[in-house]
Amino acid sequence: MSGAAVRPVPVVILAGFLGAGKTTLLNHLLRHADGRRFGVLVNDFGAVNIDALLVSGRSAGTLNLTNGCICCTTDADGLGEALAELAASGVDAIVIEASGIAEPRALVRMVLAARDERVAYGGLIYVVDLPQLAATLDAHPAVAEHIAIADLVVGNKADLVSAGELEATGARLAALNPTAPMLPVVGGAIDPGLLVESSGVSADDESRQLTIGDLLTEHDDHHGHHEHLHDAFESVALDDPRPVDPRRLARFLERPPAGAYRCKGLAFVDLPGHRGHAYEVHAVGGFVRVGVRRWPAGEPRTSLVVIGAGLDTEAARIALDDVLTPADPGDEHGILHLTRHVVTAD
């Protein structure tokens, strides 16, 4: 288990009912990439892919699927080949913009089934039209099921509803999905940092451990350029020389605090046979991925961060502190709760 871990490219599914603002959100991501390289897979329901024509020409690579819904006309192998092609181009993240009538649950299953060490599921972002949400749910009850499985709900067109309407709509969304963050935005403006960090690092920087301070400073450095987009979400960090209890850490990653969208970082496991390994953990919506590599220069330590919107920061801080409870040396199976999520090459 030694050596550098494969760093898969996260694959984010962007879904939402017709007219919610998916393409607007995607274009915003591309225009505010700040050095990140996004690969885009666009699907529209029709012989001419109108959505692909509307996507900004700033993506690192775009593949188009036309004349049908991706979850009905593409199999897992075909999708896996498309994702692998984009990942091989050196992108930092891949965004699948699904048709407005696509079935998100089927898309998630397809991404998970497209087993390739170069890609990993990065979460489901579901866009809703806040002014039209009630009417959409009444006319299309299946949308409620789509919202329920989202990892992040983006409430678009927040400028077109009153404060009272926004509160009521937020409560309805929370009832449908009590754990996903709900981010009210205008013009699909979400911070790309929610999906992936900037790739603008030198080779020397890449060899060192990315500290929690670096992660938080990154957002501060882009304050003006992002027009305070990141003010809508919170992050809670843990940076401590103490090791984790792998059983507790796995439980935290599998069931993160309400409002959490992403959890990531490095974990120190002080157990025989594991002290020399840095466990690189990532979690989105309960889907956990763990990589194993040698520790970078310096003493081992635990550095974790939770990012979300509407996050109970105190509860998240308590939950993070809880993973530092000393592991029981006699718990020989505790480490398996963490290592079962380790990504290995086929």
Side-chain angles (χ1 to χ4, degrees), residues 120-252:
Y121 177 61
L124 169 64
I125 298 177
Y126 198 83
V127 186
V128 299
D129 182 332
L130 288 177
Q132 297 297 320
L133 179 63
T136 300
L137 289 171
D138 289 343
H140 307 279
V143 170
E145 300 175 12
H146 300 167
I147 293 171
I149 64 169
D151 301 307
L152 173 66
V153 178
V154 175
N156 199 26
K157 308 178 187 178
D159 56 328
L160 301 181
V161 296
S162 67
E165 290 170 331
L166 180 60
E167 183 178 357
T169 303
R172 186 166 187 181
L173 289 169
L176 294 172
N177 188 330
T179 59
M182 199 289 279
L183 194 60
V185 302
V186 176
I190 73 168
D191 192 322
L194 274 174
L195 277 64
V196 64
E197 286 74 46
S198 174
S199 62
V201 296
S202 68
D204 290 339
D205 290 335
E206 199 166 342
S207 65
R208 68 178 177 86
Q209 178 178 345
L210 184 64
T211 67
I212 296 303
D214 293 333
L215 295 171
L216 300 182
T217 301
E218 172 192 322
H219 296 305
D220 293 337
D221 288 344
H222 302 308
H223 218 85
H225 187 67
H226 281 283
E227 300 175 312
H228 302 266
L229 298 176
H230 62 271
D231 288 347
F233 65 89
E234 304 89 14
S235 62
V236 176
L238 171 71
D239 192 25
D240 198 288
R242 288 177 290 171
V244 301
D245 177 338
R247 187 185 292 267
R248 289 173 182 262
L249 176 59
R251 184 167 62 241
F252 174 84

